[in-house]
Amino acid sequence: MILHQALARCRTLVVEGPDGLDRRVLLAELDRHRFTVRPLHGHLHHVDPTRPYRELLSAPGRLAVDGGLVHELVYGPLRHGRSRVTWIQALDFAEAVAERDGALLHLTGGTDDTEAVRAYERALRTLAQHVPVVTVDTGELARTAHDPVRPIRQLGFRASPLTLT
């Protein structure tokens, strides 16, 4: 599945990727496709880190969640020596997203944190056994979003207006 297919088919999208990647273009595109975009930054619940996600997933309509759970799987061990999210919890979350006709959007692009990039690849490869994962290159997305609209050139189509006298 690629991004435009995910936007058309999915009811739930969870945006995940290393720190430092620009998400603004993607989040604007999700909003344009009538997803309710919910950023979930901040601290995870100390007893049940998946609780805020379960609450979000119970809401009706099209939903896009701006990451957090896989972020903890990646950066917990890198920054604190361990993750507060267990793999069982992460797999349950992935299945809940899939049951809600969803997918994970794996953001890639220009970042210098190769350790985090590799950790995201490993984590999302594992989660892909339970939920579709769509890879989105933020650099490419930003370039295509800023391209000027070019006229379609077909046989018999004029780029300039036709003037009748």
Side-chain angles (χ1 to χ4, degrees):
M1 187 181 319
I2 54 179
L3 181 59
H4 75 274
Q5 290 173 330
L7 292 172
R9 295 180 186 172
C10 292
R11 195 167 60 106
T12 307
L13 295 170
V14 179
V15 180
E16 291 284 1
D19 289 345
L21 295 178
D22 188 359
R23 301 164 183 259
R24 290 176 295 182
V25 173
L26 176 60
L27 295 177
E29 186 69 12
L30 292 171
D31 183 60
R32 194 174 74 74
H33 279 84
R34 296 201 162 97
F35 281 88
T36 300
V37 178
R38 299 278 190 224
L40 201 57
H41 299 293
H43 301 290
L44 296 175
H45 190 270
H46 65 284
V47 175
D48 183 4
T50 61
R51 186 166 106 198
Y53 297 97
R54 284 195 317 273
E55 291 169 359
L56 281 175
L57 293 178
S58 68
R62 298 184 91 191
L63 174 68
V65 180
D66 189 5
L69 199 80
V70 178
H71 185 275
E72 175 62 24
L73 280 175
V74 169
Y75 286 104
L78 292 176
R79 293 180 180 159
H80 308 290
R82 67 175 197 85
S83 174
R84 293 174 288 165
V85 175
T86 67
W87 275 101
I88 296 296
Q89 291 170 321
L91 294 172
D92 286 345
F93 172 71
E95 289 175 357
V97 170
E99 288 171 5
R100 200 177 188 280
D101 301 322
L104 301 179
L105 298 181
H106 174 204
L107 299 184
T108 62
T111 181
D112 295 334
D113 193 349
T114 56
E115 196 172 13
V117 168
R118 285 194 298 264
Y120 264 101
E121 289 169 354
R122 284 190 306 271
L124 290 169
R125 190 171 41 248
T126 300
L127 295 174
Q129 297 172 38
H130 300 273
V131 64
V133 174
V134 179
T135 301
V136 178
D137 183 324
T138 58
E140 182 64 28
L141 188 62
R143 278 188 295 281
T144 58
H146 292 100
D147 280 348
V149 177
R150 294 189 179 108
I152 300 170
R153 301 204 184 273
Q154 296 177 355
L155 187 59
F157 180 80
R158 298 179 63 93
S160 60
L162 179 63
T163 306
L164 298 175
T165 57

